[in-house]
């Protein structure tokens, strides 16, 4: 199978019965594989470009400089470069697809780690992605790039729902977010001191129509019809299942144009990280005084070590300086996540009070 208008190394990736547009550039053996998942109405090209322009304006170039591979996965869409008809795609189906494709590439590349970068709407899938990747036998790490977690009430809903096209996709034409997207693209060019993506090229090669249910809201589309169901949305995002929450780092923009993310991302993802810690600790044996003190210290510090701010608005990772900064910040945060995991694992591996008493008695 092939898609028209692909730009090598783009290719049609198949997993769990789904085929969509992917981009894969292998990194150095033993280095991390970065997986980029785009926001609503965007192809993953926003991370690697489209065969034109300056590669230094995109994340892919800087990850290559760091020896990392990049896998960019685009949602099924009726864009001319993809031409998929899965407008009824659910988060659960998307997560299964991502996990299968990622597992294949990570093993073939002999990557040391898998780091999934979730931009914007992609954060809604994090619980399902975590579960699906674990089912594939791979451990992954997550970073939010101005991403919205799967917590109720964080996604704005328009009266009557978002606009759907004839085939059921959420359309970017006439979308209420488009003006803000255009302004944010222009703002990044201003910050970069030169044009990163021209608006015409942006509309033609980077924007697309998106399966509406990937937003994780009550607006649903199946069997050719739209309907509303809060229960279906909750089941799809797993937003009531905090056991599925992974430890997640955040890169947060700074511009007032992206206010919800600038002001809210640290606390939203920090809440989920706290729930991750609570569930890890609660699943273990009775805790010694030293272990409990260590866990309290981790919680008291908050999650500042897993948060970095990057200048710009919603497209803060575009442009030479922004892309370079985010690539380096991503690897720093990967190190911090692994360090936090080791710290928690070491604490929870310590003997329980009863085990410590037995050990002293044997001596």
């Amino acid at each position: 199978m092939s898609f028209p208008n692909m730009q090598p190394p783009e290719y049609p990736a198949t997993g769990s019965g789904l085929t969509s547009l992917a981009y894969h550039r292998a990194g150095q053996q033993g280095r991390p594989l970065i997986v980029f998942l785009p926001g609503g109405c965007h192809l993953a090209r926003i991370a690697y470009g489209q065969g034109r322009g300056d590669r230094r304006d995109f994340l892919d170039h800087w990850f290559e400089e760091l020896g990392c591979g990049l896998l960019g996965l685009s949602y099924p869409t009726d864009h001319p470069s993809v031409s998929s008809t899965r407008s009824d795609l659910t988060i659960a189906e998307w997560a299964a697809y991502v996990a299968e494709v990622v597992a294949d590439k990570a093993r073939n590349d002999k990557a040391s780690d898998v780091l999934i970068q979730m931009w914007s709407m992609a954060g809604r899938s994090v619980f399902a992605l975590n579960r699906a990747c674990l089912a594939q036998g791979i451990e992954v790490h997550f970073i939010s790039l101005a991403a919205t977690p799967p917590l109720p009430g964080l996604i704005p809903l328009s009266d009557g729902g978002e606009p759907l096209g004839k085939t059921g996709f959420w359309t970017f034409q006439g979308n209420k977010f488009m003006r803000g997207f255009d302004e944010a693209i222009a703002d990044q060019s201003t910050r970069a001191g030169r044009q990163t993506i021209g608006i015409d090229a942006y509309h033609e090669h980077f924007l697309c129509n998106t399966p509406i249910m990937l937003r994780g809201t009550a607006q649903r589309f199946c069997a050719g019809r739209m309907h509303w169901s809060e229960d279906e949305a909750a089941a799809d995002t797993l937003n009531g299942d905090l056991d599925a929450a992974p430890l997640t780092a955040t890169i947060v923009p700074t511009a007032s144009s992206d206010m919800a993310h600038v002001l809210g991302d640290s606390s939203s993802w920090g809440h989920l990280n706290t729930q991750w810690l609570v569930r890890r600790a609660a699943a273990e044996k009775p805790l010694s005084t030293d272990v409990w003190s260590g866990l309290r210290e981790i919680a008291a510090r908050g999650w500042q070590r897993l948060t970095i701010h990057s200048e710009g608005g919603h497209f803060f990772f575009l442009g030479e300086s922004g892309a370079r900064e985010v690539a380096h910040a991503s690897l720093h945060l990967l190190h911090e996540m692994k360090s936090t995991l080791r710290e928690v694992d070491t604490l929870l591996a310590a003997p329980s009070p009863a085990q410590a008493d037995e050990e002293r008695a044997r001596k």
Side-chain angles (χ1 to χ4, degrees):
M1 180 179 182
S2 65
F3 292 137
N5 306 315
M6 289 190 304
Q7 298 291 324
E10 291 178 331
Y11 72 103
T14 298
S16 295
L18 180 70
T19 301
S20 195
L21 183 71
Y23 170 99
H24 177 241
R25 178 190 51 72
Q28 298 171 13
Q29 185 174 320
R31 293 291 286 161
L33 172 65
I34 312 299
V35 182
F36 183 88
L37 304 180
C41 300
H42 286 79
L43 297 170
R45 287 174 176 171
I46 203 71
Y48 58 83
Q50 198 266 331
R52 299 180 179 89
D54 194 328
R55 287 193 72 238
R56 293 175 299 175
D57 289 331
F58 297 93
L59 287 169
D60 184 42
H61 170 79
W62 299 103
F63 280 125
E64 185 173 20
E65 289 279 306
L66 294 168
C68 302
L70 182 78
L71 176 63
L73 299 177
S74 293
Y75 304 116
T77 173
D78 54 3
H79 188 279
S81 294
V82 186
S83 300
S84 172
T85 57
R86 284 303 312 275
S87 55
D88 61 348
L89 187 70
T90 65
I91 284 175
E93 291 171 319
W94 170 247
Y97 165 81
V98 171
E100 188 170 325
V101 176
V102 168
D104 176 65
K105 292 304 179 189
R107 289 163 184 153
N108 287 344
D109 290 1
K110 296 181 171 58
S112 60
D113 300 280
V114 176
L115 178 63
I116 296 183
Q117 290 187 320
M118 310 169 293
W119 176 50
S120 196
M121 184 191 75
R124 304 293 285 174
S125 305
V126 65
F127 291 1
L129 288 167
N130 188 38
R131 284 281 173 85
C133 287
L134 290 174
Q136 284 286 337
I138 56 170
E139 181 182 2
V140 298
H141 304 277
F142 293 93
I143 286 185
S144 155
L145 303 182
T148 306
L151 296 172
L154 295 185
I155 291 282
L157 284 173
S158 302
D159 291 341
E162 300 305 317
L164 304 185
K166 292 181 180 179
T167 56
F169 282 105
W170 174 29
T171 63
F172 72 87
Q173 295 90 347
N175 189 306
K176 67 183 180 184
F177 298 104
M178 277 311 307
R179 180 177 177 181
F181 288 162
D182 287 350
E183 291 175 349
I185 287 285
D187 179 61
Q188 285 305 111
S189 293
T190 299
R191 291 175 186 274
R194 58 182 171 81
Q195 188 176 77
T196 54
I197 304 175
I199 293 300
D200 290 341
Y202 171 59
H203 284 210
E204 181 179 357
H205 299 297
F206 293 83
L207 289 173
C208 65
N209 301 323
T210 310
I212 187 63
M213 290 190 288
L214 298 184
R215 291 193 87 212
T217 71
Q219 187 177 3
R220 320 295 290 169
F221 183 86
C222 63
R225 299 181 62 184
M226 187 185 81
H227 68 280
W228 294 82
S229 174
E230 293 281 2
D231 290 343
E232 289 179 20
D236 201 22
T237 59
L238 302 177
N239 67 26
D241 186 3
L242 292 178
D243 287 337
L247 186 69
T248 302
T250 59
I251 304 182
V252 184
T254 60
S256 60
S257 59
D258 208 20
M259 182 181 297
H261 291 289
V262 175
L263 300 182
D265 280 3
S266 295
S267 60
S268 295
W269 290 102
H271 164 69
L272 294 180
N273 286 341
T274 299
Q275 297 308 311
W276 168 84
L277 181 62
V278 167
R279 281 154 176 75
R280 285 292 308 276
E284 295 299 323
K285 53 190 175 293
L287 305 175
S288 69
T289 301
D290 289 344
V291 170
W292 178 234
S293 178
L295 292 173
R296 288 182 60 214
E297 174 61 24
I298 292 173
R301 288 200 306 263
W303 303 101
Q304 293 95 330
R305 68 187 292 191
L306 300 185
T307 300
I308 290 177
H309 292 80
S310 182
E311 290 291 322
H314 205 53
F315 294 83
F316 63 93
F317 52 86
L318 280 180
E320 183 174 350
S321 61
R324 180 179 59 245
E325 180 181 329
V326 169
H328 283 268
S330 296
L331 294 195
H332 172 77
L333 289 171
L334 173 61
H335 171 79
E336 290 298 316
M337 281 190 284
K338 293 172 68 175
S339 177
T340 300
L341 287 165
R342 286 193 299 270
E343 185 178 352
V344 172
D345 285 345
T346 299
L347 282 170
L348 296 179
S352 69
Q355 290 171 331
D357 289 343
E358 290 175 3
E359 182 65 23
R360 283 192 291 268
R362 282 195 295 270
K363 293 179 179 179

